[in-house]
Amino acid sequence: MDSKNVFPKGFLWGAATASYQVEGGIYNCDWAQAAAEGKVPVCGDACDHYNRYQEDFDIAKSLGHNAHRFSVEWARIEPREGEFDTEAIEHYRTVLRALHERGIEPIVTLWHWTLPIWLYEGGGVERKDFSKLFARYASHVVAELSDLCTQFSTINEPGVFVTHGYLYGCRPPFKGVRILGIDIEKDYGEKTSARIGRFSHIVSFFRVQRNLIKAHNSAYDAIKEIAPFVQVSVVKHVRFFVGNWNPFNKLLAVVAQYFQSGHFLRGVVNKLDVIGLNYYKSTHFGGTEVFDMTDIGWKVTPWEIYDALKYLERYKKPILITEAGIADARDKDRAEYIRKQVAGVARALEEGVDVRGHFYWSLLDNYEWDDGFEMKFGLVEINYETQERTIRPSAYVYKDLIVHYSK
Ligand code: IFM
């Protein structure tokens, strides 16, 4: 390990989760409905984190984490349009207190993809008034929680939400795009028969893209009006694109980077205190290099988190790495992956990039959306039959890095 410590004092170290993927018992959202209709895998009890969060936070603390990112579930908080559930809010207040009791700083994501049924059936993100509905929900949550948490992210990975739901059509609302009889699909194959491929869905795709930008901006204003002291971020998945020596490939990389990340960020950059970076993969145009693959089929290039951070530097905002991780059921590559990833972050810090925290995805194995429970991203393995938690060896490697860099 490098002896020079470039990580600033107060750097946040931890892991992330998302409500639907870990809590269990959520049946009034679009994904639960899609599962009941056989369109996506059933989530059911997931990791039962809704009831076992104390045990899970004890584990996080034992692993040296001083911060934790999680999301609150819109369907629990606003189960009917305009009706806010006080018990759900009280639950999340208890969760926040449990983190504070362990000296763990929380960061809350307001919306990590799942929509309450009333909203989904009423048109979802395509609705004209989506941004108003989201801003009302976001400001309600912040009003209720901001005495216990001062870091809120509005939307998780807006780009992934819109491409999977409205281009590939493998996730709710399954609106795939078909052009001249050809389906635009996810690069590793379509997994659902629920997909409806139509040319007209291209209109929905652009409408949702626009509405997500509007929703973030409206939520930012609504939050700042009631709690100007909180830090508001958006969580952006940045896929790093690189072209080889060929000028055409270089140009392709610039254009792809703009459409994958730049377009959305340009739309929200004036209403952002912090940028959340989710980094998982890169695309090499024209390269011949062969890379190892993770269980989910993504190239193993953890060091390129450095390039993603350098790319985000242009927005001149502090950056939190809100997710970065590997699907690795046998835990054979995770330790090395984390080491290289953290080295990439250190390199960016050394060059002056303002990185404030690093959250590994994920604390626990969990429901990986249309891939169900097969993919294992967790520092902690979950036995879904017994709900037994087992800390993976790589989690201790992450702990050693945290201890080393927190000195
Ligand atoms: O599990 C997801 C998470 O919900 C959003 N970011 C990527 C993760 C791994 O695919």
Side-chain angles (χ1 to χ4, degrees), residues 21 112-113 156-157 278 280 298 323 361 368-369 377:
Q21 293 177 270
H112 196 119
W113 297 346
N156 181 77
E157 296 181 6
N278 286 7
Y280 288 94
W298 300 344
E323 283 180 32
W361 180 270
E368 179 56 21
W369 307 109
F377 279 90

Side-chain angles (χ1 to χ4, degrees), residues 155-167:
I155 305 173
N156 181 77
E157 296 181 6
V160 177
F161 176 84
V162 65
T163 48
H164 287 64
Y166 295 86
L167 189 64

Side-chain angles (χ1 to χ4, degrees), residues 153-229:
S153 303
T154 53
I155 305 173
N156 181 77
E157 296 181 6
V160 177
F161 176 84
V162 65
T163 48
H164 287 64
Y166 295 86
L167 189 64
Y168 311 140
C170 57
R171 296 180 180 178
F174 305 104
K175 290 191 170 181
V177 170
R178 167 175 287 198
I179 298 175
L180 299 175
I182 300 168
D183 284 333
I184 298 184
E185 290 177 68
K186 215 168 153 184
D187 46 7
Y188 43 95
E190 190 185 351
K191 293 197 184 87
T192 178
S193 54
R195 179 185 206 282
I196 308 159
R198 286 204 191 118
F199 181 70
S200 61
H201 289 162
I202 219 155
V203 175
S204 305
F205 175 82
F206 286 114
R207 184 177 297 142
V208 169
Q209 250 191 356
R210 205 183 47 227
N211 281 355
L212 289 170
I213 292 177
K214 224 169 132 193
H216 168 85
N217 289 337
S218 306
Y220 182 91
D221 287 340
I223 292 170
K224 288 289 173 169
E225 212 174 296
I226 53 149
F229 53 90

